[in-house]
Amino acid sequence: MVSFDGLMESKRVILGLGLGQFVSLLITSTGFSSSELSRRGIAVPTSQSFLNYVLLAIVYGGYMIYRRRPLQMKWYYYLILGLVDVEANFLVVKAYQYTPLTSVMLLDCWSIPSVIFLTWMFLKTKYRFRKFAGIAICVTGLVLVVFSDVHAGDRAGGSNPVKGDMLVLAGATLYAVSNVSEEFLVKNGDRVEVMGMLGLFGAVVGACQISIFERNALKSIHWTAGAVLPFLGYAIAMFMFYSTVPVLLKLSGSTMLNLSLLTSDMWAVLIRIFAYHEKVDWIYFVAFAAVGVGLVIYSGGKNEDNTGTLMGEGGGNIEGKERDEEAPQDRLAEISNSCGNSSSRDGKGHYYSLVSEER
């Protein structure tokens, strides 16, 4: 007979996998929007993301004003997050002007080991062998995609591949910093607050950058329907992506998020087949299956280190349990309390009660 805890764990795994593929499809749609803009000679990477930050600030910031709650985290945390996130988007979109698509696909995987290192270093996350096995299979699947492109002769040279590759590596590193920082803020604070403040500071940073670097480029654009629609499509897809990511981060962690995003390249292949009727190499299907299996292995299995089982009745955490990817909240509380944020004013026990209610 299946226990209640086992049933809830299975639902959590299925929900995590489903949300992961939803955000992967959103990223795929943003990639096609960016490709359409690039095809039309429009190269304004910061401006593409600006409307997304404005939407986040209006929707979530407006709700923050309505409910009138004090900030649970210091404002400068959100300023740093906004700066890192804007520059990560800028660098990766910019890289498409210099390096081939397949190079971006491969080098963007750098965010995965970066996330693993950052969560291990700062969140004290413990990764078991099952986690590393799932990660290795996912990365293997993506490498197969690159080999397939080379084998099929679809790889096109870039104008400055070395410069483009460096931009991708830098952007992937900043994505990792952004993901881990957002995981910390979401699990230690409030999702609405994180999105509202990220939108606010992201819009401010983006506006400053646009006024300096992209002002003339925006003036030279001929704003037809073919140029406006990809801009709007990109912004809406990114808004939905940013709105869903905090839920996935709290449910499964930043490593699961980055592994799920690997399948965006596979979904792009399916769109090429059914929407554009293009032929692709059979290795793509093997790679898609490999990434899917890797995600199941990574997210599967009973989570013995669930945060709820680590909490005593008085809110104190019980020592002696090993932390893993799905349960770093206790470490987050320790970091938060040491930083003196407002969520710890009522004591550690109050914070843990919030975590239990939100989960």
Side-chain angles (χ1 to χ4, degrees):
M1 183 176 179
V2 180
S3 65
F4 177 76
D5 290 341
L7 180 62
M8 293 303 295
E9 179 66 19
S10 298
K11 289 183 177 180
R12 184 192 66 81
V13 170
I14 294 173
L15 180 59
L17 289 171
L19 286 176
Q21 291 315 295
F22 178 66
V23 298
S24 180
L25 285 169
L26 290 175
I27 284 296
T28 303
S29 65
T30 62
F32 275 92
S33 297
S34 297
S35 298
E36 181 64 19
L37 290 172
S38 178
R39 188 180 68 85
R40 294 177 178 273
I42 300 175
V44 283
T46 306
S47 301
Q48 283 183 226
S49 303
F50 177 73
L51 183 56
N52 165 54
Y53 293 117
V54 172
L55 289 174
L56 289 173
I58 292 174
V59 175
Y60 292 100
Y63 184 66
M64 287 176 60
I65 295 174
Y66 168 76
R67 66 182 187 178
R68 297 182 179 179
R69 293 182 185 176
L71 292 178
Q72 297 188 33
M73 302 294 289
K74 299 295 185 181
W75 64 269
Y76 48 79
Y77 290 165
Y78 298 116
L79 173 60
I80 297 173
L81 176 62
L83 177 63
V84 171
D85 200 74
V86 168
E87 299 311 320
N89 285 324
F90 170 80
L91 290 172
V92 172
V93 174
K94 188 73 173 178
Y96 283 96
Q97 301 176 25
Y98 303 103
T99 196
L101 174 62
T102 48
S103 293
V104 176
M105 290 164 53
L106 178 60
L107 295 172
D108 198 40
C109 293
W110 174 249
S111 63
I112 296 173
S114 298
V115 163
I116 292 173
F117 173 77
L118 291 172
T119 52
W120 170 77
M121 174 64 68
F122 296 105
L123 305 186
K124 302 304 178 184
T125 302
K126 302 296 182 181
Y127 293 93
R128 300 171 182 171
F129 176 78
R130 169 172 57 87
K131 305 288 187 181
F132 284 111
I135 292 169
I137 295 174
C138 284
V139 175
T140 299
L142 195 62
V143 171
L144 286 176
V145 173
V146 178
F147 284 149
S148 176
D149 279 346
V150 175
H151 176 261
D154 294 333
R155 185 184 181 106
S159 61
N160 193 339
V162 175
K163 180 178 180 180
D165 291 349
M166 294 301 103
L167 289 174
V168 176
L169 289 173
T173 302
L174 291 181
Y175 273 140
V177 174
S178 176
N179 292 159
V180 175
S181 300
E182 192 172 333
E183 179 182 352
F184 166 73
L185 293 170
V186 167
K187 289 181 176 179
N188 199 32
D190 178 68
R191 182 175 70 91
V192 174
E193 178 180 302
V194 172
M195 291 294 96
M197 298 301 287
L198 173 60
L200 173 63
F201 287 112
V204 171
V205 173
C208 294
Q209 190 159 309
I210 290 170
S211 64
I212 297 173
F213 299 107
E214 298 182 2
R215 180 176 54 189
N216 294 329
L218 285 173
K219 291 180 180 178
S220 64
I221 297 175
H222 183 53
W223 292 103
T224 62
V228 172
L229 290 179
F231 251 97
L232 293 178
Y234 181 91
I236 294 172
M238 286 295 284
F239 174 77
M240 296 175 64
F241 172 79
Y242 275 68
S243 298
T244 308
V245 161
V247 180
L248 182 58
L249 286 175
K250 190 159 190 173
L251 186 69
S252 302
S254 51
T255 304
M256 179 63 178
L257 167 64
N258 282 271
L259 291 174
S260 297
L261 293 181
L262 291 181
T263 59
S264 61
D265 301 310
M266 317 303 177
W267 293 121
V269 171
L270 295 180
I271 294 176
R272 285 171 56 188
I273 294 174
F274 295 104
Y276 297 103
H277 306 289
E278 297 180 7
K279 293 183 179 180
V280 297
D281 198 86
W282 62 271
I283 301 179
Y284 271 110
F285 301 101
V286 177
F288 191 92
V291 173
V293 170
L295 286 173
V296 172
I297 292 175
Y298 179 88
S299 61
K302 181 176 175 59
N303 178 20
E304 298 176 355
D305 304 315
N306 189 284
T307 305
T309 65
L310 297 177
M311 302 304 138
E313 293 180 358
N317 60 320
I318 300 173
E319 299 296 335
K321 287 283 187 176
E322 183 185 33
R323 306 179 183 96
D324 73 354
E325 169 66 8
E326 290 83 18
Q329 288 93 330
D330 50 345
R331 173 59 181 168
L332 294 173
E334 296 170 10
I335 298 174
S336 174
N337 289 331
S338 67
C339 295
N341 67 76
S342 59
S343 65
S344 63
R345 292 174 183 172
D346 297 331
K348 184 185 269 189
H350 176 67
Y351 167 70
Y352 281 136
S353 66
L354 288 176
V355 171
S356 300
E357 291 171 3
E358 290 177 358
R359 287 180 67 87

